[in-house]
């Protein structure tokens, strides 16, 4: 089928909820993707970090093939061979506690919200989240999200969420009341513009939540699996949450979400109180185990440190050589390039024309999140392409 035919069928039969780029991807190989016309692109934004260990990572594909020959789905009334193993793996890399499996970031956050409310009881139901945050598109998670554009048209949103400015510890302190059960935030804001907290902020948030006896939830849906230089971003800051949510990179391309509850809160959701039909199915767990295997066996955390430093150095060089870059924000391979113009969205299309895929968020922050398998030669190619584009503006 040719591309125009595919687009036509999409237009007629798929709800048009996405503003799609004029590309149909058919193949992926690590940092490269190929479209239906055979054009290859260097992917510095692989599915909002879903393909964080690269497209069709060999560890992921090998485990998927093996599992696909055995069984795909096992309902959660039975045990399956892989779900406990994956939970153990996540816990070994984070903090002692237990895991609930879902299918997406929003669903992982739903589980965190439900756990917090159940723990808080009738009187303590309020969750404080941050302005410019992003927690998902379901009714509860869009209510939690601190961005009006996500809520527009869906009033009344779920009650019990308050937003305070990210980074403002006084505002957070003032917002906590006897109704508060939890504070939820991203250790680095992704959709909000790659906002890296100032030193001491997360420690201060931890201190407040401890003093007030309320839960601290880290939404690590975008920052997990090595993106920021550690398996989970909270480790970079040395601040341990009570609940942590994961998705995106965790499945290596397959849909998965997870709520990690520390030991103290691991009994709040008891049998029958929460569920997900697809959650933790063996085929998806196989993929996630492949992601851990890739990170461990291929030394990818070390690679994030090296390539994060190299990418930052190249971007700083670029900012001296061309016009338009105001500021570079980077933690590991989570990178935002703040542009010196009110609207930089057109640069995404300009980069695409050069064969480089990136993203733009909050209108003027170019977002680069290459697979954590990225090599210096890929960064050099991206540099050349970005330079070409910026020299034109
Ligand atoms: C993408 C994202 C979500 C939502 O994940 P979905 O899988 O799209 O539901 C939630 N939180 C953060 C921080 C995200 O980046």
């Amino acid at each position: 089928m040719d591309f125009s035919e595919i687009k036509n069928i999409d237009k007629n039969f798929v709800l048009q909820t996405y503003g799609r780029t004029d590309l149909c991807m058919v193949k992926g190989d690590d940092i490269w993707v190929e479209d239906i016309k055979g054009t290859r692109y260097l992917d510095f934004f692989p599915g909002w970090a879903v393909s964080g260990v690269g497209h069709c990572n060999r560890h992921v594909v090998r485990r998927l093939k093996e599992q696909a020959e055995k069984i795909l789905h096992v309902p959660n009334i039975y045990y399956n061979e892989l779900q406990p193993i994956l939970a153990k793996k996540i816990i070994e890399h984070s903090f002692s506690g237990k895991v609930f499996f879902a299918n997406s970031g929003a669903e992982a956050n739903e589980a965190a919200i439900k756990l917090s409310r159940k723990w808080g009881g009738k009187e303590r139901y309020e969750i404080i989240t941050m302005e410019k945050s992003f927690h998902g598109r379901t009714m509860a998670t869009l209510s939690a999200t601190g961005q009006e554009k996500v809520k527009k048209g869906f009033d009344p949103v779920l009650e019990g969420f308050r937003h305070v400015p990210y980074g403002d510890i006084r505002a957070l302190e003032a917002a906590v009341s006897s109704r508060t059960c939890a504070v939820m935030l991203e250790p680095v804001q992704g959709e909000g513009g790659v906002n890296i907290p100032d030193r001491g902020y997360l420690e201060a948030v931890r201190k407040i939540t401890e003093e007030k006896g309320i839960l601290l939830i880290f939404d690590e849906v975008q920052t997990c699996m090595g993106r920021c230089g550690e398996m989970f971003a909270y480790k970079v800051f040395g601040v341990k949450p009570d609940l942590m949510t994961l998705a995106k990179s965790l499945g290596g391309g397959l849909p998965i979400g997870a709520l990690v509850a520390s030991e103290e809160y691991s009994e709040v959701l008891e049998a029958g109180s929460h569920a997900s039909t697809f959650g933790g199915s063996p085929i998806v767990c196989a993929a996630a185990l492949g992601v851990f295997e890739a990170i461990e066996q291929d030394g990818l955390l070390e690679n994030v440190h090296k390539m994060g430093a190299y990418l930052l150095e190249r971007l700083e060089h670029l900012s001296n050589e061309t016009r338009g870059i105001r500021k570079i924000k980077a933690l590991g391979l989570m990178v935002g390039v703040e542009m010196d113009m009110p609207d930089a969205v057109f640069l995404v299309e300009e980069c695409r024309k050069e064969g480089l895929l990136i993203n733009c968020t909050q209108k003027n922050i170019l977002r680069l999140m290459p697979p954590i398998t990225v090599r210096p030669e890929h960064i050099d190619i991206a540099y050349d392409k970005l330079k070409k584009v910026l020299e034109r503006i």
Side-chain angles (χ1 to χ4, degrees):
M1 212 183 295
D2 79 357
F3 190 19
S4 62
E5 216 172 324
I6 289 168
K7 277 197 279 192
N8 205 28
I9 299 172
D10 181 279
K11 194 168 133 234
N12 288 319
F13 295 101
V14 179
L15 278 185
Q16 298 293 294
T17 61
Y18 301 102
R20 293 201 212 272
T21 304
D22 200 26
L23 281 177
C24 178
M25 296 306 185
V26 294
K27 264 190 214 165
D29 178 11
D30 192 24
I31 198 167
W32 297 97
V33 279
E34 191 178 313
D35 76 356
I36 198 165
K37 294 171 180 161
T39 311
R40 272 170 33 109
Y41 293 88
L42 189 69
D43 197 354
F44 263 54
F45 199 69
W48 269 257
V50 163
S51 303
V53 291
H55 293 276
C56 300
N57 182 285
R58 65 193 164 85
H59 299 274
V60 175
V61 171
R62 183 180 60 77
R63 287 190 177 245
L64 275 176
K65 281 184 174 163
E66 270 170 31
Q67 189 56 40
E69 299 286 341
K70 292 176 79 180
I71 191 165
L72 301 177
H73 177 256
V74 172
N76 278 313
I77 53 160
Y78 307 121
Y79 292 91
N80 79 59
E81 289 181 294
L82 298 185
Q83 192 182 121
I85 308 301
L86 176 59
K88 183 160 177 270
K89 195 90 197 162
I90 292 170
I91 294 300
E92 279 167 3
H93 281 278
S94 53
F95 40 82
S96 67
K98 288 180 183 145
V99 184
F100 173 83
F101 289 106
N103 312 288
S104 67
E107 211 191 334
N109 285 334
E110 285 275 348
I113 292 166
K114 282 181 73 175
L115 191 157
S116 304
R117 284 210 173 175
K118 192 150 186 299
W119 174 78
K122 270 207 168 64
E123 305 299 324
R124 285 214 289 181
Y125 59 86
E126 208 168 74
I127 299 177
I128 300 172
T129 69
M130 303 297 146
E131 288 172 10
K132 292 196 176 172
S133 60
F134 184 79
H135 299 297
R137 301 283 194 158
T138 61
M139 278 312 297
T141 58
L142 76 79
S143 306
T145 293
Q147 299 193 59
E148 277 317 304
K149 65 176 185 200
V150 173
K151 307 183 192 210
K152 208 170 150 242
F154 301 112
D155 279 331
V157 298
L158 198 68
E159 62 174 305
F161 292 96
R162 281 183 77 165
H163 312 307
V164 296
Y166 191 72
D168 186 340
I169 203 71
R170 294 267 164 279
L172 175 64
E173 212 160 9
V176 176
S177 73
S178 57
R179 287 188 305 278
T180 313
C181 65
V183 174
M184 173 154 132
L185 75 168
E186 300 152 78
V188 175
Q189 284 191 332
E191 306 308 303
V194 189
N195 301 321
I196 301 162
D198 291 336
R199 274 191 56 183
Y201 174 64
L202 294 177
E203 281 98 323
V205 174
R206 179 70 277 188
K207 192 156 165 276
I208 290 175
T209 52
E210 253 161 29
E211 280 168 8
K212 307 278 183 184
I214 56 178
L215 300 181
L216 176 58
I217 309 168
F218 278 173
D219 177 343
E220 292 234 21
V221 168
Q222 195 162 133
T223 53
C224 68
M225 310 316 287
R227 176 60 42 197
C228 297
E230 295 278 352
M231 192 65 85
F232 304 110
Y234 82 85
K235 293 182 154 190
V236 179
F237 299 97
V239 176
K240 190 181 85 59
D242 301 305
L243 309 179
M244 169 171 81
T245 56
L246 314 172
K248 294 204 167 104
S249 285
L250 177 60
L254 266 77
I256 189 170
L259 163 67
V260 187
S262 64
E263 206 64 65
E264 204 180 337
Y265 305 100
S266 61
E267 319 248 289
V268 177
L269 294 174
E270 78 278 14
S273 65
H274 194 48
S276 179
T277 302
F278 289 113
S281 75
I283 192 71
V284 173
C285 290
L289 285 165
V291 171
F292 274 104
E293 187 179 290
I295 294 174
E296 288 169 344
Q297 291 186 10
D298 298 347
L300 296 183
L301 293 182
E302 183 58 25
N303 194 55
V304 174
H305 293 144
K306 287 191 185 143
M307 293 305 107
Y310 184 55
L311 178 57
L312 180 60
E313 185 259 301
R314 289 281 76 197
L315 289 171
E316 273 163 357
H317 189 72
L318 185 67
S319 127
N320 293 330
E321 286 209 313
T322 56
R323 283 176 303 137
I325 297 177
R326 183 188 289 158
K327 193 170 147 196
I328 299 157
K329 310 190 259 187
L331 190 66
L333 284 170
M334 186 150 179
V335 180
V337 180
E338 188 175 326
M339 300 306 291
D340 202 3
M341 56 191 80
D343 192 337
V345 177
F346 73 100
L347 290 172
V348 173
E349 177 58 15
E350 291 302 308
C351 285
R352 185 187 78 76
K353 284 186 203 153
E354 295 296 332
L356 174 68
L357 304 180
I358 62 166
N359 167 262
C360 181
T361 187
Q362 302 291 321
K363 289 232 159 65
N364 71 337
I365 318 280
L366 301 182
R367 195 161 30 155
L368 312 179
M369 296 202 289
I372 63 173
T373 51
V374 67
R375 305 297 312 153
E377 53 270 28
H378 304 136
I379 292 174
D380 292 340
I381 299 172
Y383 171 88
D384 288 340
K385 291 181 187 300
L386 274 169
K387 185 159 183 252
K388 237 178 171 177
V389 166
L390 292 183
E391 276 170 354
R392 280 206 296 263
I393 63 171

